[in-house]
Amino acid sequence: MHFDHVGIATPDAAGLAALFAELFDAPVAHEETFDGMSVVFLELENGYFELLEPHEEGAISKFLDKRGGGIHHVAVETDDIEGALRTAEAAGVDRIDEEPRPGAWGHEVAFLHPKSTGGVLVEFVSH
């Protein structure tokens, strides 16, 4: 496994994308509307910033209401997402997703519950 991206909740994905593009010379690699939100991936040499702007009620809007903008999750890429979920289960980690589900950019994703991972929402992602 290796680092894939950090997901950042924001009320203004376009504005934050412009700022990060300037600050980090990080071009937009992918944009889409997915699952009731705008999603913008900014490419860095060793991963991505994923900017998440909600357009309807859901996990990201609840996160923003409760905590404001900021880091929402950390994603690691795996070639075997089902195996990663089995490893998490064997380690006693609570899973939000029992099975992989469709994610942004056509990837399969599965999340681990932050109460089992040191307060960090961890995402497994398979390209």
Side-chain angles (χ1 to χ4, degrees):
M1 290 189 205
H2 67 269
F3 173 78
D4 189 76
H5 69 269
V6 60
I8 301 170
T10 178
D12 180 12
L16 192 56
L19 176 64
F20 283 0
E22 183 178 341
L23 287 175
F24 308 124
D25 192 27
V28 172
H30 179 77
E31 294 180 80
E32 69 179 278
T33 299
F34 173 80
D35 203 21
M37 64 186 137
S38 293
V39 181
V40 179
F41 284 86
L42 297 169
E43 186 171 5
L44 299 166
E45 188 171 321
N46 56 349
Y48 300 92
F49 283 129
E50 177 189 36
L51 308 181
L52 306 162
E53 176 188 344
H55 297 294
E56 58 188 51
E57 187 66 27
I60 301 302
S61 64
K62 289 176 186 173
F63 181 92
L64 286 171
D65 289 344
K66 186 174 181 180
R67 297 185 180 96
I71 294 175
H72 178 262
H73 66 271
V74 174
V76 292
E77 182 182 0
T78 176
D79 291 333
D80 182 7
I81 197 166
E82 291 88 359
L85 285 168
R86 285 191 302 273
T87 298
E89 181 181 24
V93 171
D94 291 327
R95 294 159 293 148
I96 293 172
D97 298 300
E98 299 292 322
E99 297 180 7
R101 60 183 165 97
W105 210 342
H107 302 152
E108 282 193 309
V109 301
F111 287 87
L112 305 180
H113 201 287
K115 71 180 180 182
S116 294
T117 53
V120 177
L121 179 61
V122 175
E123 175 186 11
F124 291 135
V125 60
S126 177
H127 294 209

